[in-house]
Amino acid sequence: MLAIISKAKFDFEIIEGDFPIKEIAASLADVGSLYPEFKSWLYFTFRAGMINNQRKIIVAHHDGQVAGLSLLKKNTEEKKICTFYVRPEFRGYGLGTDLMSESLGVLGHNDIGITVSEERHDELYPLLSASGFTLVSVKSDHYRNGKDEMFYNL
């Protein structure tokens, strides 16, 4: 199933079921350095969840290019933004706000989790705060030794 939602400069595509994994993986190459085994998680865990209708991807497009992505998980136990990424050349145009809004709409606007690496925390905090997220905990060494991961909930 595929839906396209038009917004000012960006088009949003919601992908359910099977997806172009190589294109998605290439678009998220920068994220891999922050999360060990990210590519394996994407190819196996996330992909299996897509096939089981427990995960979705929102892709923001601009002039045929992938500008940003939000990888979502929604099942009976958890609603989570697993990965939220806006490519650097598209930052500062309101895409993060629009992509977050689309993500929250798909997940249902309440009891949603997201974690943020310490390297990305300062740049994501304003968006998370404006979206209503609150910091729940900070865990050291959660994904990587010597690095903090911030846990937020809405």
Side-chain angles (χ1 to χ4, degrees):
M1 183 172 165
L2 177 66
I4 296 185
I5 305 149
S6 291
K7 291 264 190 179
K9 301 175 187 173
F10 301 98
D11 292 318
F12 293 86
E13 172 186 11
I14 301 172
I15 303 173
E16 300 174 334
D18 204 11
F19 63 103
I21 194 163
K22 288 182 181 178
E23 180 184 354
I24 299 297
S27 298
L28 292 170
D30 291 347
V31 176
S33 66
L34 300 173
Y35 296 98
E37 305 301 323
F38 178 79
K39 196 169 186 179
S40 176
W41 170 83
L42 180 65
Y43 273 77
F44 298 103
T45 304
F46 192 85
R47 188 178 206 180
M50 290 283 290
I51 293 167
N52 294 332
N53 292 320
Q54 295 184 0
R55 297 180 188 253
K56 297 179 183 184
I57 301 171
I58 301 175
V59 182
H61 297 277
H62 177 73
D63 290 340
Q65 295 182 65
V66 173
L69 300 117
S70 184
L71 280 60
L72 310 175
K73 178 181 182 181
K74 183 178 182 181
N75 60 33
T76 56
E77 296 97 34
E78 183 178 38
K79 294 190 294 185
K80 181 178 181 184
I81 300 171
C82 301
T83 304
F84 187 87
Y85 182 70
V86 174
R87 290 181 41 203
E89 61 269 31
F90 295 104
R91 294 177 188 167
Y93 296 100
L95 174 57
T97 300
D98 291 345
L99 186 58
M100 181 61 73
S101 178
E102 295 293 336
S103 300
L104 299 181
V106 168
L107 292 173
H109 293 284
N110 64 353
D111 198 29
I112 299 167
I114 185 171
T115 68
V116 181
S117 67
E118 66 180 41
E119 293 91 343
R120 297 286 189 242
H121 187 255
D122 288 347
E123 64 188 298
L124 278 175
Y125 175 76
L127 175 61
L128 294 175
S129 180
S131 300
F133 283 90
T134 55
L135 182 64
V136 176
S137 66
V138 177
K139 295 183 182 179
S140 296
D141 307 323
H142 186 72
Y143 290 113
R144 295 171 296 142
N145 289 333
K147 299 292 182 181
D148 290 339
E149 191 75 12
M150 290 29 147
F151 285 73
Y152 282 85
N153 202 14
L154 176 68

